[in-house]
Amino acid sequence: LLGGLERRVRSAFSARADVAARPFLANLGHAVVAATASAALVVGFTVLLRTTTPEAEFLRSAPFILAISVTRAPLLVPLTAYQGVAIAHFLERRTEGIRPLLRVVALVATAGVLAALAAAALGRWLMVALFGPEYAVPALELAALTLAGALLAVITLSGAAALALGQHRAFAAGWVVAALVAIGVLLLPMAIEPRAILSLMVGPVVGATVHIAAIATSTAGRR
């Protein structure tokens, strides 16, 4: 067993990439930059929110901050787990241009709208039932946060499509722009709830637009 593992390790070290060293390292750098920016929006958003909010206001907003995590998890957890499947899906259909991405985005947007309506109708009751009456977040905020989660799913898919088409620079640029726009919105002089909602919506929309524009341009050039 150890001998077999050792052979596989040696073969992995001797394997060659499908591109030359310089573009390979450039693509690797783009992936690292994109991963850092996406982590800021997906995992580190609460940290960003805390650093841009007075401590007293942040502590008073515990129910709202919990709602951010609760509303985005149903879409983002499975989508993140199957991101490789999404890349393979777009790779198999790369000759169709941007149409496969638009079809998937339409499905996610529809699911997001339906989930937002469900959150508006049942979300407040669920928050109270699961966490207690002190976590009664307004229905409109829950609906908006659910829709923001769908928009984060959209930029995840548009990034996967950009990678499938070899648009590594655009992939990184979209995530970086999304993170910078989201941080910029968090710096606006507003209450924590509208700032967070706008940040979670506007950042992903702008970033996904960068991805989609690059994909559309590249596929139009190929045609």
Side-chain angles (χ1 to χ4, degrees):
L1 178 60
L2 290 176
L5 288 176
E6 186 180 347
R7 284 194 297 274
R8 276 187 280 176
V9 171
R10 287 201 305 268
S11 65
F13 276 113
S14 62
R16 299 183 64 85
D18 58 351
V19 295
R22 181 172 294 181
F24 174 78
L25 292 175
N27 293 343
L28 183 62
H30 294 146
V32 171
V33 170
T36 303
S38 64
L41 283 179
V42 178
V43 180
F45 184 79
T46 302
V47 176
L48 295 176
L49 191 57
R50 182 165 191 167
T51 57
T52 56
T53 305
E55 185 175 359
E57 183 182 8
F58 184 83
L59 293 176
R60 287 196 304 269
S61 304
F64 175 77
I65 294 166
L66 177 62
I68 293 176
S69 299
V70 170
T71 52
R72 64 167 52 183
L75 271 176
L76 286 178
V77 170
L79 189 62
T80 302
Y82 289 96
Q83 190 171 4
V85 177
I87 293 174
H89 173 82
F90 294 128
L91 189 60
E92 291 173 358
R93 294 161 178 80
R94 59 188 180 275
T95 57
E96 300 179 35
I98 200 171
R99 289 192 298 274
L101 173 61
L102 296 181
R103 288 195 294 265
V104 174
V105 166
L107 289 174
V108 171
T110 301
V113 171
L114 294 175
L117 293 174
L122 301 172
R124 183 183 176 91
W125 174 81
L126 283 174
M127 290 290 290
V128 171
L130 293 174
F131 306 108
E134 64 273 19
Y135 286 90
V137 179
L140 287 180
E141 290 181 5
L142 291 170
L145 288 173
T146 302
L147 192 58
L151 294 174
L152 201 53
V154 167
I155 188 176
T156 302
L157 288 168
S158 64
L163 278 180
L165 294 174
Q167 298 292 314
H168 296 270
R169 188 186 301 273
F171 169 66
W175 277 111
V176 169
V177 168
L180 292 176
V181 170
I183 293 170
V185 173
L186 287 178
L187 296 174
L188 295 176
M190 302 168 65
I192 185 172
E193 293 85 0
R195 274 193 302 118
I197 291 170
L198 282 175
S199 176
L200 288 169
M201 285 186 170
V202 177
V205 167
V206 176
T209 301
V210 173
H211 289 158
I212 292 171
I215 293 169
T217 301
S218 68
T219 53
R222 290 173 188 174
R223 288 196 297 271

